Amino acid sequence: MPIKHAHLLLPALLVVSFSIHAEPDRELNIKIDAPSLLKSILGNEATQPLYVYLPPSYHTSTKR
């Protein structure tokens, strides 16, 4: 039996993988408003997470 939403599985696994291995000061978890999802038939939340992974040199480098 094929998985209906298999295309969603790989990105989810990648996020979990990065979350497990990321150092706490290199990972930002930001919530963003997604008003287009307010009346979603899938029941998605109107506030979505945005994960940002910073490079190892982010806090020590002056280059931005």
Side-chain angles (χ1 to χ4, degrees), residues 5-23:
H5 300 288
H7 64 284
L8 299 175
L9 186 58
L10 181 60
L13 289 175
L14 288 174
V15 168
V16 169
S17 175
F18 282 121
S19 295
I20 292 171
H21 299 292
E23 297 170 22

Side-chain angles (χ1 to χ4, degrees), residues 31-40 44-49:
K31 301 286 184 183
I32 59 170
D33 290 327
S36 60
L37 296 177
L38 280 173
K39 296 180 181 179
S40 169
N44 295 336
E45 295 289 326
T47 303
Q48 292 289 307

Side-chain angles (χ1 to χ4, degrees), residues 25-28 52-59:
D25 60 337
R26 290 187 44 209
E27 178 182 336
L28 298 176
V52 179
Y53 298 95
L54 304 172
S57 62
Y58 182 79
H59 294 294

